[in-house]
Amino acid sequence: MAPVAVAVQQPATVTQNAQQDSKITLTPSHVKFINSQLQNLEPQQILQWAILTFPRLYQSTAFGLTGLVTIDMISKLQPQYAVAHPIELIFVDTLHHFNETLNLVDRLKKRYASAALHIYKPENCDTVEDFNRLYGERLWETDEASYDFLVKVEPIQRAYEELGVRATLTGRRKSQGGKRGDLDIIEVEEYTGLIKINPLANWSFKDVHEYMKSNDVPYNVLLDRGYRSVGDWHSTAPVGEGEDERAGRWKGKAKTECGIHETSKFAKFLAAKKVAQQEATA
């Protein structure tokens, strides 16, 4: 695909002494204007624009269908860039994934060998046994908020900090339902300033599935068993006829998100933890 000229004003004010220290500022008016300009573009065009625009851009993914399509699209941009896969990947291993998900990760490493993959786990834990020893078994039943923070929110925030992430590609789409129904293509986290880009926000499940088939993209075999959105084994179920894609996540609960995309929910907790750590080392 030839480079695409996207008619969008330079959106970010970038102060850059070194790439690792790049800082990006997007005002609300910038975000509104950018979304209006990107709204009718194809995902490949949005990806090209994002790669050219944002320093320290990564893709955070749990290797769901949309994330897999994004990885494949980026891999096909290779002739335009000095490296084969210009966006590095971040995967949070919660230690509670399905075996099928972990097997998919191994297959993807072979298929997209040039894509750098950073794997983060709950702090001080390499195995589920480590996690249970520290926090007890079935923490998701006894303290769900702490579980979400420990296995998802803290690892991804640690990844963003250690890797110097300023912007990230996500796999969220409007058609997934729930709080994602009015999703924009570009968002800025209120508390962290992290820029989130949702390149396939306007695609349907059918669009994603057709791309997967046409391009022979590896996928989680759980899809063939009725799953459409796959998370931890204990909080994921197949989706019924006529249900939203994410209806199988936390089935029977009002909950629709794990916290990774609800940073404000954990902002006070994060701030209190940081203060406590500073006081402990003072």
Side-chain angles (χ1 to χ4, degrees), residues 95-115:
L95 305 176
H96 297 81
H97 284 297
F98 288 92
N99 287 333
E100 290 85 348
T101 301
L102 300 178
N103 290 337
L104 172 63
V105 175
D106 290 336
R107 289 158 52 207
L108 293 170
K109 287 179 180 178
K110 296 176 183 177
R111 173 68 175 267
Y112 306 102
S114 62

Side-chain angles (χ1 to χ4, degrees), residues 217-234:
V217 179
Y219 64 89
N220 197 321
V221 296
L222 291 173
L223 177 68
D224 298 328
R225 304 175 199 168
Y227 294 81
R228 288 196 173 185
S229 177
V230 179
D232 289 342
W233 63 264
H234 54 75

Side-chain angles (χ1 to χ4, degrees), residues 13 38 45 47 64 70 75 100 133 180 199 210 231 234 242 250:
T13 300
L38 298 181
Q45 296 172 302
L47 287 169
T70 301
S75 74
E100 290 85 348
R133 188 162 48 250
R180 304 183 180 193
E210 287 180 352
H234 54 75
W250 307 285

Side-chain angles (χ1 to χ4, degrees), residues 46-55 57 74 77 81 86-87 169:
I46 296 171
L47 287 169
Q48 288 179 321
W49 171 80
I51 291 169
L52 292 171
T53 301
F54 297 112
L57 173 65
I74 292 172
L77 298 177
Y81 299 96
I87 301 299
L169 303 170

